Amino acid sequence: MSLSAKKALFVFDGGLAPGYTAVATSLTEEGEKLGWECWAARTGFRSLCEGISDEPPFVRTVMSPIVAYNLCSLGPIEVMGRRDFDPGSDFRSERFPEFAELEMQQLAAKNIVAGGYDFVLYCGGDGTLKGAKALAKFLPPQVKTGFINISADSDIKNDRSVGFLSCAEKGAEIARGLYEDSFTHRRIYILEMMGNRSGRHALHAGVGARAHLVVLPFFEMSPEIMQEIGDALVARRHALIVVAEGYKREERKAKGSKLNAASYFKAELEAYGLVDSPKKRVIPEPFSRFIRGAVPLMIDCSIARLKCQMLVQELEKGRSNVMVCYQSEHNLGFQSFDLAVSDNSVEAKMIGLIDRLGLPKFTEYALSISVDDSQKFASRFEL
């Protein structure tokens, strides 16, 4: 690598979702095509703040093991050439709330400039995007920045995240297993799944598994609707109910309840006649995080490669503070950090699929509070 090569830093942060390593590999590959010297922060935003990062805070990434052999005497190095389908990530940290402090952001910007980086590419979910936005105001204009959305929730407007499809597939697979067990053993299973605010993961995984009912985090159902649900389940021999983990989170917290969403919903239904007994088992299952470490689907790796190619080329052209937006191969482009905001809505057309118990009051309620975002997959960004 020549002394004049441009340097790029990849910062991975947020909750683990399938595809982190596919993005690291793709960014390295696309960067090397343009002659970039590629580096990754070992522990996300923490590595940018002195005194709290692992040692070494940064590691060189290359595609070829031959190149790695020639560079290994210069410092830590990771060979990415065959890593696309790794389930986890070597380059990330747990969420770092201290980064909300102004002093941390200023320190991180100082270290980026001192490191001589021409490009900083942030990779993660909504929280990582907020960190990228915060850093942008402290970086000089010659440092170009971009963002790749990787998350189970896909909770950024106008984009489907890398990892969303893999998580939905894995979630549906586990949910379907409980569906079959419920039929075999005549049980009512109440399964908690990921979904803190929008419940998009629980929605897609639950519908994919043909769950009998999906309860989203923003549902506040009346006693009349709860009685309708309770009566339907009492009359059934088996059922699978999917409950998003964010269901009544604040209420549970206010009550000091230690119950997860599934157990809490089960306790609520007891008041409406659905009681666990030897003759009729009602079993809550705390699934939520079992999809951590799932192997990414090939389609998510394909989306990762496409997003990374587009972003690297755009930054090389001089664009900054920009993310790639992907909704399909025919509907993709870019939006600036200013327009990249959280999106906790769910697709209204999916709501018609969350009730297989025949609950008219529940369905009417669910449709009435769901935002009809019929333009969800319309192009709203630049090419």
Side-chain angles (χ1 to χ4, degrees):
M1 191 70 65
S2 69
L3 294 177
S4 61
K6 295 179 180 178
K7 288 183 68 176
L9 176 65
F10 311 143
V11 180
F12 295 85
D13 218 280
L16 179 61
Y20 268 94
T21 303
V23 169
T25 299
S26 298
L27 288 177
T28 301
E29 183 172 38
E30 296 302 324
E32 287 190 343
K33 288 179 184 178
L34 298 175
W36 291 7
E37 182 180 309
C38 299
W39 292 80
R42 178 70 78 183
T43 55
F45 289 121
R46 294 177 186 269
S47 293
L48 295 170
C49 301
E50 295 172 347
I52 55 174
S53 63
D54 288 350
E55 295 296 340
F58 306 109
V59 60
R60 180 79 177 272
T61 64
V62 300
M63 293 299 291
S64 167
I66 303 302
V67 173
Y69 297 154
N70 293 330
L71 294 174
C72 64
S73 63
L74 301 178
I77 193 164
E78 290 274 356
V79 180
M80 307 304 300
R82 301 177 65 200
R83 301 285 302 280
D84 290 51
F85 311 112
D86 284 8
S89 173
D90 290 347
F91 316 119
R92 59 169 301 279
S93 72
E94 194 51 65
R95 290 177 174 86
F96 180 34
E98 292 86 352
F99 199 68
E101 299 172 9
L102 196 64
E103 294 79 5
M104 289 292 185
Q105 298 163 17
Q106 292 172 327
L107 178 58
K110 176 183 174 183
N111 286 333
I112 288 171
V113 173
Y117 296 106
D118 302 280
F119 308 101
V120 183
L121 294 88
Y122 307 96
C123 311
D126 178 62
T128 307
L129 176 61
K130 290 176 181 176
K133 287 182 175 183
L135 259 180
K137 59 181 176 288
F138 297 114
L139 292 173
Q142 64 266 27
V143 178
K144 308 303 180 185
T145 63
F147 176 77
I148 297 286
N149 184 12
I150 316 172
S151 78
D153 302 333
S154 196
D155 57 358
I156 296 175
K157 197 171 185 65
N158 296 329
D159 184 47
R160 173 154 285 178
S161 66
V162 174
F164 173 76
L165 294 175
S166 299
C167 287
E169 177 74 13
K170 185 66 174 180
E173 178 185 339
I174 293 174
R176 187 64 191 185
L178 281 184
Y179 180 106
E180 296 300 335
D181 194 74
S182 74
F183 178 84
T184 301
H185 296 294
R186 303 296 187 260
R187 293 172 175 171
I188 307 294
Y189 276 113
I190 303 175
L191 174 64
E192 181 191 68
M193 302 193 78
M194 288 185 70
N196 187 24
R197 293 183 178 86
S198 75
R200 190 173 289 119
H201 168 75
L203 172 63
H204 283 259
V207 168
R210 295 187 75 242
H212 294 90
L213 192 70
V214 178
V215 178
L216 297 174
F218 47 87
F219 282 5
E220 292 281 350
M221 293 171 287
S222 67
E224 186 180 24
I225 294 174
M226 291 295 291
Q227 188 65 65
E228 181 185 50
I229 295 172
D231 290 345
L233 292 175
V234 166
R236 288 195 62 87
R237 298 173 68 182
H238 80 283
L240 170 65
I241 313 302
V242 168
V243 182
E245 64 178 330
Y247 175 70
K248 292 193 174 179
R249 180 183 296 276
E250 294 304 316
E251 180 178 310
R252 285 183 280 144
K253 183 178 179 180
K255 291 181 177 180
S257 173
K258 301 295 185 181
L259 298 177
N260 62 38
S263 296
Y264 195 79
F265 191 60
K266 172 182 177 289
E268 287 184 314
L269 287 173
E270 289 175 358
Y272 300 95
L274 185 68
V275 179
D276 180 38
S277 70
K279 292 185 177 181
K280 190 178 188 68
R281 298 305 317 275
V282 182
I283 304 173
E285 290 285 351
F287 163 71
S288 274
R289 309 267 171 196
F290 291 179
I291 57 176
R292 298 298 196 196
V295 175
L297 295 173
M298 297 288 186
I299 186 61
D300 261 328
C301 293
S302 175
I303 293 169
R305 294 184 186 117
L306 179 59
K307 283 187 170 187
C308 291
Q309 180 190 66
M310 291 176 62
L311 183 61
V312 165
Q313 291 178 352
E314 196 72 4
L315 298 186
E316 179 71 14
K317 293 175 184 177
R319 186 95 179 260
S320 188
N321 296 340
V322 63
M323 70 172 285
V324 182
C325 293
Y326 172 93
Q327 293 170 350
S328 73
E329 288 75 10
H330 304 288
N331 194 359
L332 70 170
F334 302 94
Q335 68 180 2
S336 68
F337 283 1
D338 291 340
L339 298 177
V341 296
S342 299
D343 177 13
N344 291 311
S345 65
V346 296
E347 301 92 326
K349 297 300 184 289
M350 295 284 290
I351 297 299
L353 300 172
I354 67 174
D355 168 30
R356 295 183 54 247
L357 295 174
L359 307 173
K361 294 174 184 176
F362 169 84
T363 300
E364 181 182 4
Y365 164 76
L367 288 171
S368 71
I369 65 170
S370 299
V371 178
D372 186 0
D373 197 357
S374 61
Q375 298 301 310
K376 180 75 176 175
F377 294 100
S379 180
R380 300 181 184 175
F381 38 73
E382 310 166 48
L383 289 174

